[in-house]
Amino acid sequence: MTGFDILPLAVALLIGIAALGSCLGIGNLGGKLLEGTARQPELKDQLQTTFFLAAGVTDGAFIIATGIALWFATANPFGG
């Protein structure tokens, strides 16, 4: 390997940006859940179901991005 290897930086950015987006999304979602529950306490069960579904999808996207980043880190498809 000669020169500047950018793969570790790319892997770190892929994991870091996905983690940041997931954390912000779930935090925003949790805040909206609390707002909705405070306004309509009788809808708590439906709101929690929707919250956990959306949180799972958001967290799933982060896990997929982490898997792809680790795949790039162990088996570099762009290198020689």
Side-chain angles (χ1 to χ4, degrees), residues 29-79:
L29 198 59
K32 298 296 181 181
L33 171 71
L34 291 176
E35 284 180 18
T37 304
R39 290 182 186 189
Q40 299 275 333
E42 65 273 5
L43 294 178
K44 182 183 80 157
D45 293 334
Q46 291 175 343
L47 291 173
Q48 278 185 343
T49 301
T50 306
F51 168 78
F52 286 120
L53 255 155
V57 169
T58 303
D59 198 36
F62 164 66
I63 291 171
I64 290 170
T66 302
I68 291 171
L70 293 175
W71 174 54
F72 283 170
T74 56
N76 185 1
F78 304 115

Side-chain angles (χ1 to χ4, degrees), residues 11-24:
V11 168
L13 283 175
L14 186 60
I15 293 174
I17 290 172
L20 179 67
S22 179
C23 291
L24 290 175

